[in-house]
């Protein structure tokens, strides 16, 4: 029996450097999608588009604080199991909502 495929989204990777850090991690199990653009979260359309884009993913790696993850976004992602960020911290992630997941 084979292990399930994990879906990884790399967000806001303007320099396209994130992929190489993940490509050798379980290559037979990890399917990677890289999104170079940042969606505008200041309007509801941008937030809805972000949720639609990220809904299938089990792992999300976000670059710095470019894309916010408030509680309503985190809670709208039913498959999310792991939310990663670069750097020491990320003020754009609602840590309480993330911890509840």
């Amino acid at each position: 029996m084979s292990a399930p495929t994990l879906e990884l989204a790399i967000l806001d990777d303007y320099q396209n450097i994130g992929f190489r850090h993940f490509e050798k991690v379980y290559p037979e199990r990890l399917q990677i999608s890289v999104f170079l653009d940042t969606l505008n979260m200041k309007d509801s359309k941008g937030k809805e588009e972000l949720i639609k884009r990220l809904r299938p993913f089990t792992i999300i790696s976000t670059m710095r604080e470019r894309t916010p993850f408030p509680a309503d976004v985190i809670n709208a992602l039913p498959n999310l199991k792991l939310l990663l960020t670069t750097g020491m911290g990320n003020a754009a992630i609602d840590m309480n909502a993330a911890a509840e997941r």
Side-chain angles (χ1 to χ4, degrees):
M1 183 174 183
S2 64
T5 300
L6 301 172
E7 301 276 344
L8 166 65
I10 301 174
L11 304 184
D12 310 317
D13 190 5
Y14 303 154
Q15 296 177 325
N16 204 18
I17 61 170
F19 182 84
R20 72 174 182 244
H21 294 286
F22 290 104
E23 69 180 330
K24 294 182 183 177
V25 178
Y26 299 113
E28 67 283 351
R29 289 189 56 203
L30 190 61
Q31 184 161 6
I32 304 170
S33 298
V34 178
F35 299 97
L36 304 178
D37 60 326
T38 299
L39 297 174
N40 182 359
M41 294 279 291
K42 294 182 180 180
D43 61 44
S44 61
K45 183 180 177 192
K47 187 179 281 191
E48 290 170 15
E49 192 175 334
L50 178 71
I51 291 168
K52 182 178 177 184
R53 175 186 281 186
L54 298 179
R55 191 167 279 132
F57 294 95
T58 51
I59 305 167
I60 298 171
S61 177
T62 184
M63 300 293 171
R64 307 173 67 113
E65 297 174 347
R66 294 177 182 139
T67 297
F69 281 88
D72 59 333
V73 171
I74 291 170
N75 293 330
L77 303 174
N79 297 315
L80 181 62
K81 302 293 183 213
L82 179 63
L83 180 57
L84 305 168
T85 187
T86 57
M88 297 296 292
N90 190 322
I93 297 174
D94 183 326
M95 297 305 283
N96 291 328
E100 287 177 15
R101 289 290 301 268

Coordinates of all heavy atoms in Angstrom, one line a residue, residues 6 10 19 23 37 63 89 99 101:
L6 N 1.0 14.1 -0.9 CA 0.9 15.4 -0.2 C 1.0 16.5 -1.2 O 1.8 16.5 -2.0 CB 2.0 15.5 0.9 CG 2.0 14.4 1.9 CD1 3.3 14.6 2.8 CD2 0.8 14.5 2.8
I10 N 3.7 26.6 -2.5 CA 4.7 27.6 -2.1 C 4.2 28.9 -2.6 O 3.9 29.1 -3.8 CB 6.0 27.3 -2.7 CG1 6.5 25.9 -2.3 CG2 7.1 28.4 -2.4 CD1 7.8 25.4 -3.0
F19 N 11.2 26.1 -4.4 CA 11.0 24.7 -5.0 C 12.2 23.8 -4.7 O 12.0 22.7 -4.3 CB 10.7 24.8 -6.5 CG 10.5 23.5 -7.2 CD1 9.3 22.9 -7.1 CD2 11.6 22.8 -7.8 CE1 9.1 21.7 -7.7 CE2 11.4 21.6 -8.4 CZ 10.1 21.0 -8.3
E23 N 12.0 19.9 -3.4 CA 11.9 19.0 -4.5 C 12.4 17.6 -4.2 O 12.0 16.6 -4.7 CB 12.5 19.5 -5.8 CG 14.0 19.6 -5.7 CD 14.6 20.1 -7.0 OE1 14.0 19.9 -8.1 OE2 15.6 20.8 -7.0
D37 N 2.8 34.9 -7.7 CA 2.0 36.1 -7.5 C 1.4 36.2 -6.1 O 1.2 35.1 -5.5 CB 0.9 36.3 -8.5 CG -0.1 35.1 -8.5 OD1 0.4 34.0 -8.2 OD2 -1.2 35.3 -8.7
M63 N 6.1 32.8 2.0 CA 7.3 33.6 2.1 C 7.0 34.9 2.9 O 6.2 35.7 2.5 CB 7.8 34.0 0.7 CG 8.2 32.8 -0.2 SD 9.6 31.9 0.5 CE 9.6 30.5 -0.5
G89 N 9.5 34.4 12.5 CA 8.1 34.6 12.8 C 7.3 35.1 11.7 O 7.9 35.5 10.7
A99 N -3.0 27.2 15.7 CA -2.9 26.2 16.8 C -4.1 25.4 17.0 O -4.0 24.2 17.4 CB -2.5 26.9 18.1
R101 N -6.1 24.3 14.8 CA -6.2 23.3 13.8 C -5.3 22.1 14.1 O -5.5 21.0 13.8 CB -5.7 23.9 12.4 CG -6.7 24.8 11.8 CD -8.0 24.2 11.4 NE -7.8 23.2 10.4 CZ -7.8 23.4 9.1 NH1 -8.0 24.5 8.6 NH2 -7.5 22.4 8.3

